[in-house]
Amino acid sequence: MALKPAEDDPQQLILGCYECHSETAELSLQSDLGLNLGDTVDLLERSCSTEFSSQQQILTIQPWKIASFKVIPTINPRLE
């Protein structure tokens, strides 16, 4: 997994991961920092359609697939 600032907005984060064991995997994010999974993005960080359920915060990753998505803070630090 890799966590990096977004190219177009350094205040946003992009989480990238891949499945390397040739089996379907489920990914969920549990954060003490108030972070949630956001939109799935492609390698150029453009939003793309997916079967991801933002309500359940679970993402299914198919074998050998690379998955990237935005990580959204539940509290906006700019407003504090």
Side-chain angles (χ1 to χ4, degrees):
M1 280 198 242
L3 186 64
K4 70 176 203 80
E7 293 292 329
D8 59 348
D9 183 0
Q11 298 298 320
Q12 290 185 347
L13 298 172
I14 301 293
L15 179 64
C17 58
Y18 67 98
E19 194 295 310
C20 62
H21 297 286
S22 186
E23 50 190 55
T24 302
E26 288 187 351
L27 175 70
S28 63
L29 177 66
Q30 296 178 355
S31 171
D32 292 335
L33 301 174
L35 301 174
N36 289 316
L37 297 176
D39 294 335
T40 301
V41 295
D42 62 15
L43 294 177
L44 297 176
E45 299 179 7
R46 299 175 297 197
S47 293
C48 55
S49 62
T50 183
E51 296 177 12
F52 169 63
S53 169
S54 61
Q55 298 297 323
Q56 296 179 0
Q57 291 290 300
I58 297 173
L59 179 67
T60 301
I61 302 174
Q62 298 302 317
W64 305 112
K65 184 176 178 183
I66 296 171
S68 300
F69 44 92
K70 290 184 180 179
V71 177
I72 308 296
T74 55
I75 301 171
N76 188 343
R78 295 178 187 168
L79 298 177
E80 294 182 353

